[in-house]
Amino acid sequence: MRILKFLIEKEFKQMFRNPLIPKMIVMYPIMVLLVFPWAVSFEIKNIRIDVVDHSKSTYSRRLTDKIAASRYFILNDIPPDYRTAMWNMEQGETDMILEIPTSFDVDLVKNRASAVGMAVNSVNGTQGLLGSNYVTQIVNDFSSELRSELTHTLPAQSRASMMRMPRINIVPQYKFNPALDYKSFMIPGFMVLLLTIICGILPALNIVMEKETGTIHQINVTPVNRIGFILAKLIPFWVVGLVVMIISVSAAYLIYGLWPAGSVVAVLFSAIVFIFSISGLGIIISNYSENMQQASFLVMFFILILILLGGMFTPVSSMPGWAQAIASINPFNYLTKTFRMLYLNGSTLADVSGNLLMLALFSVVLNGWAVVSYKKRG
Amino acid sequence: MNKVMEVSGLTKKFGNFTAVDHISFDVTEGEIFGFLGANGAGKTTAMQMLCGISMPTAGKGTVAGYDIIKQNELIKRNIGYMSQKFSLYEDLKVWENIRLFGGIYGLREKIIAEKTDALLKRLDFEQERNTLVKYLPLGWKQKLAFSVAIFHEPKIVFLDEPTGGVDPAMRRQFWEMIYEAADQGITVFVTTHYMDEAEYCNRVSIMVDGRIDALDSPAALRHQFKAGSMDEVFRQLAREAERGD
Ligand SMILES: Nc1ncnc2c1ncn2[C@@H]1O[C@H](COP(=O)(O)OP(=O)(O)O)[C@@H](O)[C@H]1O
Ligand SMILES: [Mg+2]
């Protein structure tokens, strides 16, 4: 498609001549990575936790000690059963309950994955979400600690089998970010926000600008087809989005020491899948706006929904049913989840494949809608 | 002579409002066809239906041999269009605009480069090659827009009030360019509300309130309406008009 080359060339020229866009591309990541995380850093410390230890083993006690020693938790009580813990929670004496199953140590010894059941006080959703993330981190940490201990104390021939074990619920994670804090939790979310702005909103506003100046009219009387026009609009923003993403991932590492516990390739791959879906939404917005005023209104509306119902600040699980329903069709939510899993929980591409599948589905639906609703003829 | 455009009963309604009301006419190859009418008469709307960017409510027709309803994308390959509102890219340079539209109409890189050089030389525009279009004076912008519209040598070029707001000297130069294009065999379909310009056309139609009330050569129309000038013809017709300013 030779026409596409000319159109993309035009878009890049205009992008770099725009008085705002190049500055935004530089300023946004800086704001988002350097300023915002501090501004919104309501880091939660001193979460009161009850540990229900059914296992009563050396391992479970060590885990409890680790939790008690962490600066995020205050060990409120070690009640004998779950009911007592619930009662404590109802009395407002504790914020969180961690339940360690009876088979915890047996499972560890038998080299099988173990499930640490967790109940989270949902009165304060953010606290619950962060708290369970902290616990996950500590459990992960503990697990890799055990693994290295066992590997060192065992003869070489059994090391091969050691590689699999012991796993507690989640793949042991690298200790790049042992001091888990609120910033590490928010930064993956801010990366999603950046992609949303660059690959969703900027192309939408760009197209509506062409409507306002009347240049799109001139394009419409030419043989340029709608897919060509839309693609030429999007490709430059996709490129910029990916570059900004790479810069952000690097900056997050250099500034905060934050690196995906899972694979960085998976992070970029998920970003790409997300980019397709969010630009589809951007095109739809532009198709339904005749001028910048209408477009700005729609953009505001969608940004609020995407972010507030996207699990960035408030966990989806603590939302009312209708909000959860919206979150379940919110691409922002799926990438935020995915990024946090990849960054904080050490998940693999396979673990997040469900989310990516949803994002791919959104891409198909949104882009199909975008192409159909693009009117070349009035 | 060959007809490059034939239209019958062409109508466009916006809701209850009939912007273009059953117009019928044809245009001969190589002709300069003036499409006259007061503001709001329906010229732009009619032209947009002919260019394939507006769907007619009723009527049929062909442009450059293609059906305006079904083959509008094929029409687009064979026409040039200069919109009423200046719509080249203001943030692209002169040569970049030419290159872009040359490329869009499928011209090869080499051809585009050669033709751009020749065009800039002919317009005496070489020193403005690298000027951003937004810094050009209006008259020059219009000349450039016209040159871009015929750069790919279309069969027909549609010009929507190409001389709007331009001073008389510049308007004359612009009409010289139109004649040059016509000499090359490009059919020119031009709307205007300057009646003196009507005299430059081979034939004109006069639109009043969405209808075509008169259609002939300027001389024949003056004779028919017993008028000394096209302006007088127009004033006689416009007396009954309800729209316009
Ligand atoms: N998209 C539209 N929706 C509603 N009315 C329109 C639209 N476009 C044009 N019109 C109306 O149709 C009439 C003809 O407009 P137009 O074709 O632009 O006239 P002209 O080009 O002769 O000045 C005007 O009254 C105008 O207000
Ligand atoms: Mg008009």
Side-chain angles (χ1 to χ4, degrees), chain A residues 2-3 5 9-10 13-14 17 210 212-214 217-224 376-378, chain B residues 12 48 52-55 68-69 72-73 76 81 85 87-89 91-92 96 99 104-106 109:
Chain A
R2 281 192 315 127
I3 293 181
K5 184 193 84 179
E9 190 183 302
K10 155 202 172 260
K13 283 176 186 160
Q14 290 184 301
R17 271 176 209 157
E210 285 221 22
E212 251 186 24
T213 55
H217 195 66
Q218 188 69 49
I219 294 291
N220 280 344
V221 286
T222 71
V224 172
K376 230 191 143 183
R377 201 179 199 186
Chain B
K12 180 81 183 187
Q48 287 178 348
I53 50 174
S54 173
M55 191 66 170
I68 57 169
I69 315 255
N72 65 322
E73 292 301 324
K76 290 175 188 173
Y81 177 84
K85 187 175 173 201
S87 43
L88 293 185
Y89 288 96
D91 51 354
L92 291 184
E96 291 170 340
R99 175 180 160 79
I104 283 177
Y105 284 103
E109 297 262 0

Side-chain angles (χ1 to χ4, degrees), chain A residues 1-49:
Chain A
M1 187 146 185
R2 281 192 315 127
I3 293 181
L4 198 59
K5 184 193 84 179
F6 287 95
L7 288 172
I8 291 174
E9 190 183 302
K10 155 202 172 260
E11 296 298 338
F12 269 117
K13 283 176 186 160
Q14 290 184 301
M15 183 184 273
F16 289 111
R17 271 176 209 157
N18 186 293
L20 234 82
I21 291 180
K23 290 190 194 112
M24 271 168 70
I25 290 169
V26 177
M27 284 307 293
Y28 271 35
I30 292 177
M31 289 291 287
V32 159
L33 286 172
L34 288 180
V35 184
F36 289 171
W38 297 95
V40 299
S41 194
F42 38 93
E43 186 165 57
I44 295 174
K45 284 183 187 156
N46 306 334
I47 300 172
R48 294 162 306 171
I49 191 166

Side-chain angles (χ1 to χ4, degrees), chain B residues 82-83 142 159-164 166 174 178 190-192 197:
Chain B
M82 179 178 164
S83 116
Q142 303 287 79
L159 309 173
D160 198 355
E161 309 215 6
T163 52
V166 170
F174 197 92
I178 292 180
V190 54
T191 79
T192 178
E197 291 184 351

Side-chain angles (χ1 to χ4, degrees), chain B residues 14 17 19 38-45 84 161 243:
Chain B
F14 296 110
F17 177 74
N39 267 331
K43 305 181 295 294
T44 300
T45 308
Q84 183 170 358
E161 309 215 6
R243 289 184 212 164

Side-chain angles (χ1 to χ4, degrees), chain A residues 205-243:
Chain A
L205 296 181
N206 181 302
I207 292 175
V208 177
M209 244 348 238
E210 285 221 22
K211 285 193 186 178
E212 251 186 24
T213 55
T215 47
I216 201 169
H217 195 66
Q218 188 69 49
I219 294 291
N220 280 344
V221 286
T222 71
V224 172
N225 63 25
R226 48 190 169 184
I227 293 179
F229 180 77
I230 290 175
L231 264 184
K233 279 283 169 211
L234 291 179
I235 288 171
F237 288 102
W238 289 345
V239 171
V240 170
L242 269 182
V243 169

Side-chain angles (χ1 to χ4, degrees), chain A residues 294-307:
Chain A
Q294 288 171 9
S296 316
F297 177 78
L298 283 177
V299 161
M300 281 301 290
F301 175 77
F302 277 104
I303 272 282
L304 283 176
I305 290 189
L306 287 175
I307 295 178

